[in-house]
Amino acid sequence: MMTADLLALLFEATLLTSAAVLAVLFLRGVWRRAFGVRAAILLWLIVPLAAGVAIAPDRMVEDREALEIMAPVQAWLLGEDPPTPDALERTGAEPFGAEVVLVAWTIGSMLMLGLLAIRQRRFRAGLGRLGACGGRLWVSEKEDIGPLVLGVISPKVIVPANFAER
């Protein structure tokens, strides 16, 4: 895959997932009141579905109109004059600077992943010592936390120390 194609894919995935996150944030209150808490939580599945739609192979052979619409966006990302799709097909060359943008995006993604890992570790440390109460229920030594679910692969329900009194 050409670097410019990868950048276009990343741009489209970012736009779709951002729109999905905004839609969920906007709809979750109304959705929760209408269908309940579980349905509101399931609404978040829209975000990975949007990412999947972005990276799924296109079923259209080629949409010239869509190419003409995306060309200025891609050129803006790369800081160049928009090339015509025919010119790129004839030369097979990638626009200059596409590699730089891809490397910058990758570095930014890695930095964000590292920041999220640090914040998750701090959050987990802020819960204090956890005591098992049976099954997936754990009690924190802290009283100023709310009930929460921690983990994806093996989720645990964490409750505050004074949960029974509350």
Side-chain angles (χ1 to χ4, degrees):
M1 180 183 288
M2 292 179 22
T3 307
D5 293 337
L6 184 57
L7 283 174
L9 178 70
L10 291 173
F11 183 71
E12 184 179 349
T14 301
L15 283 179
L16 282 175
T17 54
S18 297
V21 167
L22 290 174
V24 170
L25 288 174
F26 180 73
L27 293 173
R28 67 184 174 159
V30 174
W31 200 264
R32 184 183 63 241
R33 285 189 292 280
F35 302 108
V37 173
R38 286 187 181 175
I41 293 170
L42 289 175
L43 192 61
W44 283 103
L45 289 175
I46 290 174
V47 177
L49 287 173
V53 165
I55 63 173
D58 291 334
R59 295 202 173 208
M60 296 184 293
V61 175
E62 188 174 287
D63 185 359
R64 292 301 235 186
E65 192 174 311
L67 287 174
E68 291 171 6
I69 292 171
M70 279 303 290
V73 173
Q74 186 174 356
W76 176 79
L77 280 172
L78 303 174
E80 296 183 343
D81 293 332
T84 63
D86 293 333
L88 285 178
E89 287 174 13
R90 280 194 310 272
T91 63
E94 294 186 34
F96 176 73
E99 293 87 3
V100 175
V101 174
L102 184 60
V103 167
W105 184 90
T106 304
I107 290 171
S109 296
M110 292 298 137
L111 288 173
M112 285 305 300
L113 185 62
L115 178 64
L116 288 172
I118 290 168
R119 292 190 65 157
Q120 179 66 19
R121 179 177 248 174
R122 286 182 186 163
F123 176 77
R124 172 59 184 88
L127 294 176
R129 188 175 308 133
L130 300 177
C133 269
R136 296 187 185 268
L137 183 64
W138 294 71
V139 177
S140 171
E141 68 180 0
K142 305 277 183 159
E143 293 184 355
D144 60 344
I145 66 163
L148 60 106
V149 176
L150 184 67
V152 174
I153 296 171
S154 178
K156 299 173 184 165
V157 176
I158 315 290
V159 296
N162 61 353
F163 185 73
E165 291 86 40
R166 281 205 255 172

